[in-house]
Amino acid sequence: NGKPISQENEIELRRKIGYVIQNTGLFPHLTIKENIMLPLSLKNERVSVIENRIKEISKELNIESILDKYPGEVSGGQKQRVAIAGVLALRPKIIILDEATSMLDPEGRKGLITLIKDLKDEYKFTVISITHDIDEATLADRVIVLDDGKIIDDGKPESIFIKNDEL
């Protein structure tokens, strides 16, 4: 929002962030729909709001057909889409993807990245993607390269990845 993160109230900032991890963190005993509903229920959202968001987000993420299934009955790519759906349902300002595509095949990875970029543009949120995959990083607007926790480079992908030998 145009101000340094250090000037944000930590509690308010945490409410603006959604987090998707490599291992989706879905509850195996809940259906896909129930997994998406859970964060909204914990925020005491009205049932009508929950139903509308699930309908909208499941359509956008192409998971409508699996809402009544359990996590153990769907593919890794579908699980990632469900995890993202649960976060998007909360309408965060920032989404952190921590190796969220690492378990996917190259085609699934690229499809999910494209979807996230489209959703980012539609819903106007910031995406911070943590990845070791250079192909994935080249699709970013900005890349920050870390080595042992220290920033060693920061810029547009095209300026970063021409330094192949240094990387």
Side-chain angles (χ1 to χ4, degrees):
N1 291 328
K3 61 182 175 181
I5 200 165
S6 60
Q7 293 178 8
E8 288 277 341
N9 175 295
E10 184 177 341
I11 293 169
E12 286 301 311
L13 181 62
R14 287 177 188 257
R15 290 186 181 137
K16 296 176 186 177
I17 296 174
Y19 191 68
V20 180
I21 58 175
Q22 177 179 353
N23 183 359
T24 58
L26 300 177
F27 292 98
H29 62 286
L30 298 178
T31 66
I32 297 300
K33 183 177 182 178
E34 291 167 337
N35 268 283
I36 298 169
M37 289 173 62
L38 185 61
L40 292 169
S41 298
L42 294 173
K43 281 186 67 177
N44 294 317
E45 284 287 355
R46 291 178 312 197
V47 173
S48 61
V49 169
I50 293 172
E51 290 294 332
N52 286 337
R53 287 203 191 154
I54 288 175
K55 185 176 182 180
E56 173 188 335
I57 289 168
S58 65
K59 183 176 182 179
E60 294 215 37
L61 292 168
N62 195 25
I63 57 172
E64 295 166 295
S65 65
I66 64 167
L67 290 176
D68 294 325
K69 294 187 178 194
Y70 289 88
E73 300 174 315
V74 300
S75 72
Q78 289 171 320
K79 286 178 188 173
Q80 284 304 97
R81 286 174 183 261
V82 172
I84 291 167
V87 168
L88 285 177
L90 293 169
R91 303 250 167 97
K93 297 291 184 193
I94 300 166
I95 293 181
I96 299 173
L97 304 173
D98 189 356
E99 296 284 353
T101 64
S102 65
M103 295 183 357
L104 305 178
D105 60 49
E107 187 175 310
R109 182 178 294 134
K110 187 172 182 179
L112 192 58
I113 293 166
T114 301
L115 173 66
I116 290 166
K117 285 184 98 165
D118 291 345
L119 293 171
K120 172 186 79 83
D121 293 340
E122 181 179 343
Y123 290 106
K124 307 292 185 229
F125 56 82
T126 297
V127 176
I128 299 171
S129 180
I130 302 162
T131 184
H132 289 90
D133 186 277
I134 291 181
D135 292 332
E136 185 175 327
T138 61
L139 300 172
D141 298 324
R142 176 180 173 198
V143 174
I144 299 172
V145 181
L146 300 174
D147 183 25
D148 200 25
K150 294 184 172 69
I151 296 174
I152 60 169
D153 213 340
D154 179 356
K156 298 243 179 241
E158 54 272 17
S159 67
I160 299 286
F161 294 115
I162 60 171
K163 305 172 187 174
N164 241 0
D165 294 339
E166 294 173 42
L167 292 177

